[in-house]
Amino acid sequence: MVIQVFENEQQVAKAGAAIIAAQILAEPQSVLGLATGSTPIELYKELVKLYDDGVISFAEVTSFNLDEYLGIDRHHDQSYFRFMVDNLFSKINILPDSIHIPDGTAVDPQAECERFEEAIADANYIDLQLLGLGRNGHIGFNEPNSFFQKATHVTDLAEDTITANARFFETDAEVPRQAISMGIGTIMEAGRILLLATGVGKAEAVKAMVEGHIDPLCQASILQIHPDVTILLDQEAASLLN
Ligand code: F6R
């Protein structure tokens, strides 16, 4: 694992965007795995700047998002589809047909998971997967468990994930309890992995991911055995590392 520590969140975002931009410049037809959540928002702003400045084009890029809430329509203002449109896709020249996000309203969620997994294989797999890190060590919505789930699947969200997400919904009843998420196998098949974590709230999860045993109770710890992982941290997220 290559671990880089930056003074602040803005520098983490810039460094992350530079890695993604370099990937696209080297391979304009790159397949990118993308994440939602608070962490990558600044990175997406930096990517949009690079696009506006004519440095990179997304015309030939294909994207796959890690996850989507189950039961949330893509037009819902808290859907991950909407997040991606608002923060990135509406501001760059990626083709609509090149965007892949699990459909949280699929009539048969299991078939949707299989379809998503096949689409990734058909695209010849993900070249560079961007990840955030849950406070409980989750990546995608692979929550602490007794095993690592291989493929894209329907998952129950952990209580602390539900609590963390509650701030985005008006009533408790609206907060999603399930999601469709890429599996750990799906993530590990990516050629390169780029994980960002910022803020003191992530410090314990960062320590477990980097210095702990490989343990499904901290799903991100599996990244220790991926051959090409870059972890970008701010000083707060790195504060418990030896
Ligand atoms: C998002 C995702 C999650 C988040 C993680 C961190 O697509 O899969 O694993 O990356 O929950 O979220 P933030 O960045 O909001 O702290």
Side-chain angles (χ1 to χ4, degrees):
M1 287 171 147
V2 174
I3 301 169
Q4 296 180 347
V5 182
F6 296 86
E7 210 168 305
N8 56 44
E9 199 182 341
Q10 198 53 44
Q11 288 179 5
V12 170
K14 274 202 160 109
I19 289 172
I20 294 177
Q23 168 72 38
I24 296 170
L25 284 172
E27 177 48 68
Q29 296 186 344
S30 287
V31 180
L32 300 180
L34 298 176
T36 59
S38 323
T39 313
I41 290 179
E42 289 301 316
L43 179 151
Y44 291 146
K45 282 188 192 157
E46 295 294 332
L47 278 181
V48 170
K49 271 190 218 160
L50 290 168
Y51 166 73
D52 285 343
D53 291 347
V55 179
I56 48 172
S57 166
F58 292 81
E60 296 176 80
V61 166
T62 299
S63 75
F64 288 91
N65 263 76
L66 281 166
D67 39 27
E68 179 60 280
Y69 293 126
L70 200 72
I72 296 275
D73 184 86
R74 57 173 45 184
H75 301 296
H76 189 288
D77 63 358
Q78 291 304 328
S79 76
Y80 283 174
F81 185 92
R82 180 79 177 269
F83 173 100
M84 290 307 302
V85 169
D86 290 351
N87 287 288
L88 186 65
F89 297 151
S90 64
K91 299 174 178 175
I92 59 172
N93 64 338
I94 192 165
L95 297 175
D97 285 351
S98 303
I99 293 168
H100 304 272
I101 302 183
D103 179 358
T105 58
V107 183
D108 181 347
Q110 186 50 42
E112 172 61 8
C113 294
E114 286 159 24
R115 188 198 63 77
F116 194 71
E117 201 66 34
E118 275 164 26
I120 294 173
D122 288 347
N124 217 5
Y125 299 96
I126 291 165
D127 295 309
L128 174 60
Q129 175 67 54
L130 174 65
L131 296 174
L133 178 68
R135 283 166 179 253
N136 63 9
H138 74 208
I139 47 177
F141 278 134
N142 293 280
E143 301 284 26
N145 212 327
S146 54
F147 58 92
F148 294 106
Q149 186 98 31
K150 191 177 178 309
T152 301
H153 58 288
V154 175
T155 180
D156 293 334
L157 300 180
E159 272 312 316
D160 40 2
T161 303
I162 295 169
T163 309
N165 290 339
R167 66 188 195 278
F168 300 116
F169 294 85
E170 275 173 26
T171 64
D172 187 54
E174 279 180 273
V175 186
R177 262 66 182 169
Q178 287 187 304
I180 292 178
S181 173
M182 282 187 197
I184 290 294
T186 328
I187 293 169
M188 291 293 277
E189 271 164 357
R192 301 170 69 196
I193 290 182
L194 173 63
L195 183 144
L196 271 56
T198 54
V200 71
K202 301 291 173 69
E204 278 186 26
V206 167
K207 190 174 176 63
M209 164 177 70
V210 173
E211 294 175 357
H213 295 294
I214 297 177
D215 183 341
L217 286 176
C218 174
Q219 295 269 319
S221 62
I222 193 85
L223 298 177
Q224 291 175 26
I225 57 167
H226 189 285
D228 191 340
V229 178
T230 302
I231 296 176
L232 307 183
L233 306 171
D234 66 357
Q235 282 176 352
E236 288 187 358
S239 59
L240 295 178
L241 290 181
N242 285 326

